[in-house]
Amino acid sequence: MRRRDLGWRLLGLVSYAAGIACALAARPEGSQIGAILVIDGIALAIIGIVLMAKGRKAPLALRIERSPHRHLPGAIHHARIARRRPQ
């Protein structure tokens, strides 16, 4: 595991801990702000879990998914299959 990947995983651990602490510290009983803080804490914890599991590949996958060329590899693959197959 490289230092860069380890940094992303450490950021995930910190994010997870901050999310859990935020969710536990908020008091949602009768307070809308407390309920919002719990939801935000859970979302932050989920982001942390993803970063801990995937490391630096998680932000890379998001960047690729938002790219306008995300369907290009599939289009090339389908074009190659169409050329091989006799009609």
Side-chain angles (χ1 to χ4, degrees):
M1 186 179 317
R2 294 205 168 134
R3 206 177 271 185
R4 184 176 174 188
D5 192 40
L6 190 61
W8 279 104
R9 290 177 192 261
L10 184 62
L11 179 67
L13 180 67
V14 169
S15 173
Y16 176 74
I20 294 298
C22 181
L24 291 177
R27 304 278 186 218
E29 296 92 15
S31 171
Q32 289 182 349
I33 294 174
I36 291 172
L37 285 175
V38 169
I39 292 171
D40 290 343
I42 291 171
L44 192 60
I46 290 172
I47 290 170
I49 290 171
V50 170
L51 282 175
M52 282 190 294
K54 298 301 279 182
R56 73 177 182 93
K57 292 180 182 177
L60 181 65
L62 288 174
R63 194 173 77 205
I64 290 170
E65 187 59 35
R66 290 190 341 224
S67 169
H69 305 290
R70 66 182 175 270
H71 299 296
L72 185 60
I76 292 171
H77 178 71
H78 290 301
R80 286 180 181 166
I81 289 175
R83 275 188 281 165
R84 282 189 220 151
R85 197 177 315 149
Q87 302 265 343

